[in-house]
Amino acid sequence: MAISKEEVLHVAKLSKLRFSDSELDEMTKHLGKVTDMMANLSQVDTTDVPFTSSVTEETNVFREDIAIKGESRDELFSNVPETQDGYIKVPAIMDNGEAGA
């Protein structure tokens, strides 16, 4: 199953990715190999193959969920440079170009 450059460009646009012409050629080639491999795998006869959810016999070990007393809010806020209305005030990390955003 071949994949076209137009399809790669469409996916790149949806993913907000940009490729140079050489990168587009390379990505088209790689994705073509992936789709070919998936097509080959879909032809494998898996009849009588039991469902497998894990290939190891290890199990997750969870600790008991016990509430513990947290840090003192006043003590934590003693290290904060600026607060407002009971919250830690931090500089904006996203800016849409407007002042104060």
Side-chain angles (χ1 to χ4, degrees), residues 11-59:
V11 172
K13 182 180 178 182
L14 294 175
S15 305
K16 298 185 178 186
L17 297 173
R18 291 185 187 154
F19 299 116
S20 68
D21 288 340
S22 63
E23 290 171 328
L24 178 62
D25 289 340
E26 194 67 23
M27 186 62 67
T28 302
K29 180 179 165 185
H30 285 300
L31 289 177
K33 288 181 179 180
V34 170
T35 56
D36 287 346
M37 182 185 71
M38 297 302 290
N40 287 339
L41 287 175
S42 69
Q43 296 175 4
V44 174
D45 181 13
T46 57
T47 305
D48 299 327
V49 176
F51 170 76
T52 304
S53 62
S54 177
V55 294
T56 66
E57 293 184 17
E58 296 187 24
T59 58

Side-chain angles (χ1 to χ4, degrees), residues 36-88:
D36 287 346
M37 182 185 71
M38 297 302 290
N40 287 339
L41 287 175
S42 69
Q43 296 175 4
V44 174
D45 181 13
T46 57
T47 305
D48 299 327
V49 176
F51 170 76
T52 304
S53 62
S54 177
V55 294
T56 66
E57 293 184 17
E58 296 187 24
T59 58
N60 290 331
V61 178
F62 297 102
R63 67 173 169 77
E64 189 175 347
D65 189 15
I66 301 172
I68 56 172
K69 186 171 177 70
E71 301 292 329
S72 161
R73 183 181 183 94
D74 291 335
E75 188 176 332
L76 288 173
F77 272 50
S78 69
N79 295 319
V80 175
E82 192 173 359
T83 64
Q84 181 178 348
D85 301 327
Y87 296 99
I88 298 171

